Amino acid sequence: MIEQLRSQLEQINLAISKIESGAQEYKIGGSRSVRRGELATLYKERRQLQTELANYENSGGMYAVAFYR
């Protein structure tokens, strides 16, 4: 479960990074377009995953989470 959470967090961080660098939407072959998720939604999901991961890593004890934007 921890590895799955880490993988999801890594994917969300990558999506956020790409959007922040200007890759929110792009076209493929002129007829198809791809739009990445909204930043606010991705930030919210990242916070949730970071909290879940901290809970698993610390066995439900006290924990600290760093939120990066």
Side-chain angles (χ1 to χ4, degrees):
M1 182 64 159
I2 289 176
E3 288 305 315
Q4 182 181 2
L5 290 172
R6 285 183 180 147
S7 176
Q8 290 174 340
L9 185 57
E10 183 179 323
Q11 291 173 14
I12 286 177
N13 283 331
L14 181 60
I16 289 171
S17 176
K18 287 183 179 186
I19 291 171
E20 289 177 337
S21 66
Q24 176 72 24
E25 184 173 4
Y26 55 94
K27 292 195 182 256
I28 302 170
S31 62
R32 295 178 54 190
S33 65
V34 175
R35 181 171 174 85
R36 298 191 190 278
E38 296 296 322
L39 276 175
T41 303
L42 291 171
Y43 289 145
K44 181 179 177 182
E45 182 67 21
R46 179 169 66 181
R47 281 191 301 272
Q48 181 180 343
L49 285 170
Q50 287 171 327
T51 300
E52 285 183 52
L53 187 56
N55 283 334
Y56 276 104
E57 289 178 335
N58 295 309
S59 301
M62 295 200 52
Y63 59 137
V65 178
F67 299 107
Y68 300 99
R69 183 169 181 226

